[in-house]
Amino acid sequence: MNPRQPAVDAKMSLFICMSFCPSEHLVSAISQLVSDFCKIGLRDLDISSRFHMAAHELAENITKYSTTSRVSLEVELSERDGVHILSVKTRNEASPERLKEVERRLQELKLTKDPVELYDRMIEQSAPLDGVSGLGLARIRAEGGLEFDYAIDGNELTLVVQAPVPKPTPPEAV
Amino acid sequence: MSELRLKREVYDKLTLEPVFAGGKLQVQLSGLCDSFAVKPLGAYLDGVAAEIGRLGLSGVAIDVTRLSLLNSSSLKQFITFLRPMKSGDSECKVEFVVDDQNPWQRRCLAALARMCPNAVSLRDVNGGGPGGNPSQRLRYASATPNPTRRS
């Protein structure tokens, strides 16, 4: 999988792309939109809440760490070989130091066989520290149960979180 | 009985409301714990900790049933709040009241129960489910496979 490109043989049934100037004031509105998108498209509160949390954490991260005035967040519901996949993809540019740190974390999260154990360990490690939690990505993987993929091209980070979902119910069928 | 020194507070999209009755303290959170709520939430929980010590409370309930989202930085404020319970410096028990109709609440706060199994429990406001099981692992109620259990 190349996180920078959509799968060529995937059938896309729903897609939203938001490109915006990083602002803390937009984060909750964006994550709520993702949640509503999931609720309408899938009619599954459990999945909607997991993607709501993931979108919120990712939108906070790109807002916090972007070094440019443009970031993006995409939501896509697609079908490939009969499997429906819901994904959230973010793009932002960041400092080399931040990219190095986030790559280390993403590799650890991608490779772990027990995301919950890793998340619990990170909570233990963060407990005595003041300031930012550093738990957002681990939480998406462990609590949200979502898969990660990412690509770094120069200063640009593309991050995808996704999960297989049940076949969407068309709104008119309900 | 000493008067409670906490009061209802509204910070942007988050409302915190204490109820003190029969020697029991419950704090209800309503709205949204986003980045704007992090510092006020931390300060409020400092106040709760102070009241636990001043009033000698053996337990406190945190009701999140009216909360729509808790970001990781806000979760970190609860981790900080629970440090004395985890270290054994405080014997106070903390019960998180969740609504299992909103599955994210139990999933999110289960991490705190795993971190602090002797002091933290979870209870479904509707009375259902195995609330308060500190060893509970994440469960996936939907048709989505649990990626943490894939080979």
Side-chain angles (χ1 to χ4, degrees), chain B residues 78-112:
Chain B
F78 282 109
I79 293 168
T80 302
F81 170 69
L82 292 170
R83 263 160 49 185
M85 293 76 164
K86 180 172 173 54
S87 66
D89 290 341
S90 170
E91 293 182 359
C92 183
K93 307 292 183 196
V94 180
E95 178 184 68
F96 286 95
V97 183
V98 299
D99 182 352
D100 283 341
Q101 302 295 316
N102 290 317
W104 74 267
Q105 295 175 351
R106 180 177 292 275
R107 269 204 313 265
C108 172
L109 297 168
L112 301 180

Side-chain angles (χ1 to χ4, degrees), chain A residues 46 120 129 139 142 145 147, chain B residues 70 76 107 114 138 147 150:
Chain A
D46 181 57
D120 288 351
L129 306 175
R139 184 184 180 199
E147 300 275 19
Chain B
L70 184 78
K76 175 72 188 333
R107 269 204 313 265
R114 293 195 303 272
L138 298 180
R150 284 182 192 156

Side-chain angles (χ1 to χ4, degrees), chain A residues 30-91:
Chain A
I30 287 167
S31 65
Q32 187 60 53
L33 180 65
V34 172
S35 175
D36 292 346
F37 175 95
C38 296
K39 281 178 191 161
I40 293 165
L42 295 167
R43 300 181 178 273
D44 186 316
L45 187 59
D46 181 57
I47 293 171
S48 301
S49 66
R50 289 158 55 194
F51 276 88
H52 187 185
M53 178 273 289
H56 196 95
E57 298 290 350
L58 294 176
E60 281 195 343
N61 279 356
I62 58 177
T63 295
K64 201 181 298 177
Y65 296 113
S66 176
T67 52
T68 64
S69 59
R70 182 69 62 88
V71 296
S72 72
L73 185 148
E74 299 171 9
V75 194
E76 181 182 310
L77 178 60
S78 60
E79 181 195 345
R80 190 178 184 180
D81 300 329
V83 178
H84 293 83
I85 302 284
L86 183 62
S87 64
V88 173
K89 179 190 291 186
T90 58
R91 280 201 186 97

Side-chain angles (χ1 to χ4, degrees), chain B residues 47-58:
Chain B
V48 173
E51 287 299 83
I52 289 169
R54 185 178 71 86
L55 299 169
L57 301 178
S58 59

